[in-house]
Amino acid sequence: MLLWFRNDLRVHDNPALFYFLQQHWQAYQQQGEMPQMRALFFISHGQWLQHRVSDIKIDLILRHVDWLERELGKLGVRLEVVECDNFQQQVDYLGDYCREHNIRQVVVNDELEVNERARDRQLTALGIELLAFECDVIVPKGKLVNQDRQMFKVFTPFKKAWLKYVRQNGFDYIAKDKLSPFSRFSLEAGYEDGNEYRRIKYHTGLSDAWPLVDEVERRVIPEFLEEKLESYHELRDIPAIKGTSGLSPYLAIGALSPRYLLCQLINQNPDVLNAHDSPNFAWLNELIWREFYRHLMHHFPSLAKGKNFRSKYDSLVWSQDKALFKLWCQGRTGYPIVDAAMRQLNKTGWMHNRLRMIVASFLTKHLLIDWRWGENYFMESLIDGDLAANNGGWQWAASTGCDAQPYFRIFNPVLQSKKFDPKGTFIRKYLPELNSVPDNEVHFPHDYLRKNKLDIYWPAIVDHKFARERALNFYQGA
């Protein structure tokens, strides 16, 4: 038996790992000797490049692989880190590895995406049994359907069904203390069978601002629940304030369990599943949105292939203006909230959620540029790039997706800026060029700059009123 880590870089609440340890524990009890426990992880830079995984996310992944190797050693599991450039090389390597070591069963946690599932089918065709568990959602995918046995296409009824399911059925969760019996098999640090081995370290430093998941569980999550949860519903849309949990990168690489997060939330707020009007429900609502997009991609795998969810918009002819797209990417649109947001992304590898909606609306509605261009740029840049959530968010903004904005809802970036960054605090952090501009002018400073003959900021690349009317005509044409 072999354990294969993929997008599940954790020991806590990892069902594949727990099953793997249990099976070896039973063998130990029967034989009195612990069989060697093998695990694999593939570094596949070519595949990551094909899937547009950002450099900062890759760095976070590899830091956690290094951490995971140490944690598995405490449980007696030797993790082998192998470089295979793409999925085909993974299949070839596993086929040879299983034949060499007479392994018939590989234990994994299931992956949602189309290419990953095609790779797994290749392995099955080779005669390798893949025993797959589900650990990326709280409610198992496929369990929530409407009266017609179809997946919900609107979030609110999905949320109601999700809450009802959890209240009635609970959810699986493997607590940390269930791993403690296996600690007796800990490998000696740096040694196995008397031979010294060195962990392979890949560290660029890009993700150093983000702690490893053990610190996140020990410090970040408790601090958020104790100090920020009560005000989350009010502050989560204010980009100048650190009012969000900052946990999305760890969920994206499988280092953090969503089931664990729900456990922690319920421990602190026992009635949160019933208290929809409670301020504390706002954070749970975001977790349910994440579930919604993953369930959607399970039911509609074409979403992973760049297809519009609403096929009526397949006839839209998007702009191919690469010059305008480049200005958007660089944060040079002439709309300060858009430009500051893009600079935050380019500088830090992360963007505040409210800002993601603003810049996505701007690209698709103001510039009429294909949402897929923005989706790809986000994946190439974000530390928390997640195909299901990223696709869902972009199609929501572009009005082509499930539960999307009606096409006639077009964010006004100036009004959004005034509402969520009223004093321009966030804008000035990433656009210091505007430090001298008064608060009431900073959201669209062009008249002020002309009157004062200041050449410190670039012009707006499109007029909002014109862009809005053009977008309405564009979507009506579908």
Side-chain angles (χ1 to χ4, degrees):
M1 181 184 296
L2 175 69
L3 178 61
W4 178 16
F5 282 89
R6 289 112 68 98
N7 201 47
D8 54 342
L9 302 177
R10 63 180 186 264
V11 295
H12 178 196
D13 191 33
N14 186 320
L17 170 62
F18 188 62
Y19 174 85
F20 181 79
L21 292 170
Q22 281 183 314
Q23 295 303 302
H24 284 83
W25 172 256
Q26 291 176 9
Y28 168 74
Q29 290 180 314
Q30 293 171 3
Q31 302 169 12
E33 182 178 349
M34 192 65 177
Q36 188 178 47
M37 292 190 284
R38 300 174 181 271
L40 285 180
F41 178 83
F42 291 115
I43 293 175
S44 299
H45 285 288
Q47 197 67 48
W48 287 334
L49 180 64
Q50 181 181 332
H51 285 175
R52 302 180 184 274
V53 182
S54 69
D55 289 341
I56 190 172
K57 182 180 176 182
I58 290 173
D59 189 59
L60 186 70
I61 288 171
L62 296 178
R63 284 174 59 211
H64 277 86
V65 170
D66 188 61
W67 168 85
L68 179 65
E69 187 180 20
R70 296 194 298 272
E71 294 302 305
L72 290 174
K74 298 174 184 177
L75 301 171
V77 180
R78 169 71 188 274
L79 179 67
E80 297 180 38
V81 181
V82 180
E83 295 197 50
C84 286
D85 196 55
N86 53 50
F87 282 167
Q88 185 58 55
Q89 289 187 16
Q90 291 182 11
V91 171
D92 295 341
Y93 184 92
L94 275 168
D96 293 340
Y97 190 95
C98 289
R99 282 191 295 271
E100 178 185 349
H101 297 284
N102 195 29
I103 294 171
R104 295 183 178 180
Q105 186 180 69
V106 179
V107 184
V108 299
N109 286 306
D110 190 36
E111 291 188 289
L112 172 66
E113 295 79 9
V114 169
N115 290 343
E116 284 77 350
R117 290 188 168 180
R119 173 205 55 197
D120 290 353
R121 287 194 296 271
Q122 276 188 273
L123 284 166
T124 302
L126 292 177
I128 298 172
E129 179 191 353
L130 280 185
L131 179 60
F133 296 85
E134 189 173 40
C135 74
D136 62 322
V137 288
I138 297 166
V139 173
K141 295 183 284 290
K143 292 290 186 181
L144 302 179
V145 292
N146 60 24
Q147 292 181 345
D148 297 324
R149 309 304 297 169
Q150 301 294 317
M151 170 60 188
F152 294 97
K153 297 180 181 180
V154 178
F155 174 69
T156 299
F158 173 86
K159 176 176 68 175
K160 292 178 179 178
W162 190 95
L163 290 166
K164 180 179 179 181
Y165 182 95
V166 174
R167 286 194 297 262
Q168 292 181 349
N169 301 283
F171 56 96
D172 294 329
Y173 168 64
I174 305 168
K176 288 181 179 180
D177 57 8
K178 291 188 176 181
L179 295 176
S180 56
F182 309 111
S183 60
R184 69 177 64 188
F185 303 114
S186 176
L187 300 174
E188 291 186 47
Y191 293 88
E192 185 182 49
D193 299 329
N195 296 317
E196 185 176 359
Y197 69 95
R198 293 190 299 275
R199 289 186 297 273
I200 303 173
K201 292 185 182 295
Y202 302 83
H203 186 221
T204 64
L206 289 173
S207 67
D208 281 358
W210 299 84
L212 292 171
V213 71
D214 54 350
E215 183 179 347
V216 170
E217 291 191 356
R218 184 176 63 252
R219 179 182 62 82
V220 177
I221 295 172
E223 286 181 0
F224 172 77
L225 292 175
E226 293 170 10
E227 300 173 11
K228 298 181 180 181
L229 185 63
E230 288 288 341
S231 58
Y232 175 79
H233 67 296
E234 296 175 336
L235 302 181
R236 70 185 188 90
D237 280 323
I238 310 299
I241 296 174
K242 194 174 181 180
T244 60
S245 67
L247 300 178
S248 55
Y250 305 96
L251 288 166
I253 67 171
L256 193 60
S257 160
R259 304 185 299 196
Y260 171 70
L261 294 181
L262 182 56
C263 280
Q264 295 301 299
L265 180 61
I266 292 174
N267 286 342
Q268 183 152 326
N269 304 270
D271 199 40
V272 70
L273 294 173
N274 300 295
H276 303 173
D277 297 328
S278 165
N280 295 336
F281 186 80
W283 189 56
L284 175 58
N285 199 61
E286 295 304 305
L287 292 178
I288 303 173
W289 266 107
R290 178 183 180 274
E291 301 262 308
F292 179 54
Y293 286 139
R294 299 193 77 76
H295 281 244
L296 269 178
M297 192 160 282
H298 168 78
H299 286 275
F300 302 99
S302 63
L303 292 173
K305 300 178 181 180
K307 303 294 185 181
N308 291 321
F309 183 84
R310 301 172 71 185
S311 59
K312 67 173 289 186
Y313 291 123
D314 289 348
S315 62
L316 292 176
V317 181
W318 296 96
S319 169
Q320 304 291 311
D321 194 323
K322 294 181 180 179
L324 285 180
F325 179 65
K326 184 176 181 180
L327 291 173
W328 176 85
C329 294
Q330 294 173 336
R332 295 182 65 86
T333 68
Y335 286 83
I337 194 67
V338 174
D339 295 343
M342 295 306 294
R343 285 194 175 185
Q344 180 186 41
L345 174 63
N346 294 333
K347 182 177 181 179
T348 71
W350 186 81
M351 186 190 290
H352 188 277
N353 187 61
R354 168 58 57 173
L355 301 179
R356 297 187 197 202
M357 292 189 283
I358 293 172
V359 302
S361 176
F362 189 89
L363 184 72
T364 57
K365 303 291 179 64
H366 281 68
L367 303 182
L368 301 185
I369 288 176
D370 195 329
W371 60 267
R372 283 160 281 236
W373 289 24
E375 179 194 33
N376 287 338
Y377 189 76
F378 267 29
M379 286 299 292
E380 292 170 352
S381 306
L382 285 168
I383 191 171
D384 62 352
D386 173 271
L387 180 59
N390 192 44
N391 179 278
W394 273 97
Q395 292 220 49
W396 182 88
S399 298
T400 62
C402 192
D403 202 14
Q405 294 188 74
Y407 71 83
F408 49 83
R409 288 187 60 195
I410 301 166
F411 279 11
N412 182 326
V414 177
L415 295 182
Q416 290 282 311
S417 181
K418 290 179 178 179
K419 182 176 182 179
F420 297 112
D421 191 29
K423 295 185 178 181
T425 305
F426 175 81
I427 288 173
R428 293 188 181 91
K429 180 176 180 179
Y430 289 99
L431 292 174
E433 299 94 331
L434 301 181
N435 280 342
S436 62
V437 178
D439 293 353
N440 63 328
E441 302 283 356
V442 75
H443 307 286
F444 196 72
H446 302 289
D447 287 343
Y448 174 84
L449 296 178
R450 278 193 295 270
K451 290 176 183 177
N452 290 275
K453 299 180 179 180
L454 295 174
D455 185 19
I456 58 175
Y457 187 54
W458 38 92
I461 61 176
V462 66
D463 174 72
H464 169 69
K465 184 177 180 180
F466 163 79
R468 185 178 186 280
E469 292 301 320
R470 182 178 62 175
L472 291 175
N473 293 331
F474 177 72
Y475 279 89
Q476 286 175 343

